Amino acid sequence: MDRSGTIACVISDIFGEQFQPPAAMVLITAAAALLVVLWDALWRPARNVVTIVHEAGHALVALLAGRRLSSIRLHSDTSGVTVSRGRTDGPGMVCTALAGYLAPSVLGLAFAGLLLSERVGVVLVTCAVLLLGVLVMIRNLYGVLSVLVTGGVLFAVSWLATEEVKAAFAYLITWFLLVGGVRPVFELQRKRRRGRARDSDADQLHRLTGAPGLFWVGMFAVINTGALAVAAAWLLVP
């Protein structure tokens, strides 16, 4: 067996130009993602994916800021907690707290850029690497099950589906992260109004910086809706 040829084929499959979907597929996957986010019965289980990316954002930025990552926990109410050790204040802690609510939209925008360049394989591989990284740091049973189920779906599509289905799945993931990155911001503010989110990322940022929690919620909303608008311009405008 020519191993170098096999490796070259794998690299080509991942990084080479791939199936370019018709405009109808892009629109259908966008509509499907919007339906999942707006319909509560679908949103509740699907929100676990947003939580995984949210906590992965905290974890990655914590590591980049020089903090020591201790654990990630995902809960059945779709909340999550990432614990890192280091200074309890300063820019590193601010960036770590800031990253969570922005992570799904930023990742969705990055995926939109890859899809614009017809890099479906890179999108799927990035999802796999993210899930593996989170799985290593998960410290509760529900979190392990949540990541394994998500990874199982990703594996099935990546290895068993046709190129057309892979492309549709990559677009669905991208739209879901972009649209799904917006809804939790408004859910956060509703909880804050009711006094049920005193330890939220926005309130942690308030304690770290002195800027009001509402300022940070507004920043999340502006950045995430902006990412959605930019991605829509890339993917929907001919």
Side-chain angles (χ1 to χ4, degrees):
M1 179 183 293
D2 185 354
R3 292 187 178 181
S4 62
T6 301
I7 293 172
C9 288
V10 172
I11 293 174
S12 177
D13 287 342
I14 295 173
F15 295 101
E17 291 188 3
Q18 289 143 6
F19 174 75
Q20 183 175 7
M25 179 187 289
V26 180
L27 288 170
I28 290 170
T29 53
L34 184 62
L35 176 64
V36 170
V37 172
L38 293 181
W39 190 356
D40 287 344
L42 296 175
W43 169 243
R44 183 173 177 80
R47 196 187 192 287
N48 285 288
V49 175
V50 174
T51 302
I52 291 171
V53 179
H54 178 116
E55 300 306 327
H58 282 313
L60 178 60
V61 174
L63 290 173
L64 293 175
R67 299 178 61 80
R68 182 179 176 184
L69 187 60
S70 298
S71 65
I72 298 174
R73 292 177 178 270
L74 306 174
H75 303 135
S76 58
D77 63 355
T78 71
S79 65
V81 177
T82 297
V83 178
S84 62
R85 303 192 182 280
R87 287 187 55 180
T88 57
D89 58 6
M93 189 61 199
V94 170
C95 291
T96 299
L98 185 62
Y101 276 96
L102 301 182
S105 294
V106 171
L107 184 61
L109 184 61
F111 283 176
L114 289 170
L115 292 178
L116 196 64
S117 303
E118 300 174 22
R119 299 293 190 270
V120 171
V122 180
V123 172
L124 299 179
V125 168
T126 301
C127 290
V129 171
L130 182 150
L131 289 172
L132 181 60
V134 171
L135 182 61
V136 169
M137 296 308 303
I138 288 288
R139 295 295 182 269
N140 68 320
L141 179 59
Y142 180 84
V144 171
L145 292 175
S146 181
V147 173
L148 288 179
V149 168
T150 305
V153 174
L154 178 66
F155 177 82
V157 172
S158 300
W159 288 96
L160 303 177
T162 63
E163 293 302 313
E164 290 83 356
V165 173
K166 289 179 184 178
F169 186 70
Y171 272 88
L172 181 61
I173 291 171
T174 299
W175 286 120
F176 177 71
L177 290 174
L178 289 162
V179 181
V182 175
R183 176 167 174 170
V185 177
F186 293 94
E187 292 177 339
L188 168 63
Q189 185 53 29
R190 284 200 298 270
K191 289 181 180 179
R192 293 184 71 251
R193 281 203 311 266
R194 298 168 185 169
R196 294 168 51 197
R198 299 185 186 282
D199 292 324
S200 71
D201 293 350
D203 292 281
Q204 289 183 46
L205 286 163
H206 165 59
R207 291 190 287 271
L208 288 166
T209 66
L214 185 59
F215 167 81
W216 295 107
V217 174
M219 178 178 288
F220 297 154
V222 169
I223 293 175
N224 291 1
T225 54
L228 174 58
V230 171
W234 287 352
L235 299 178
L236 297 178
V237 178

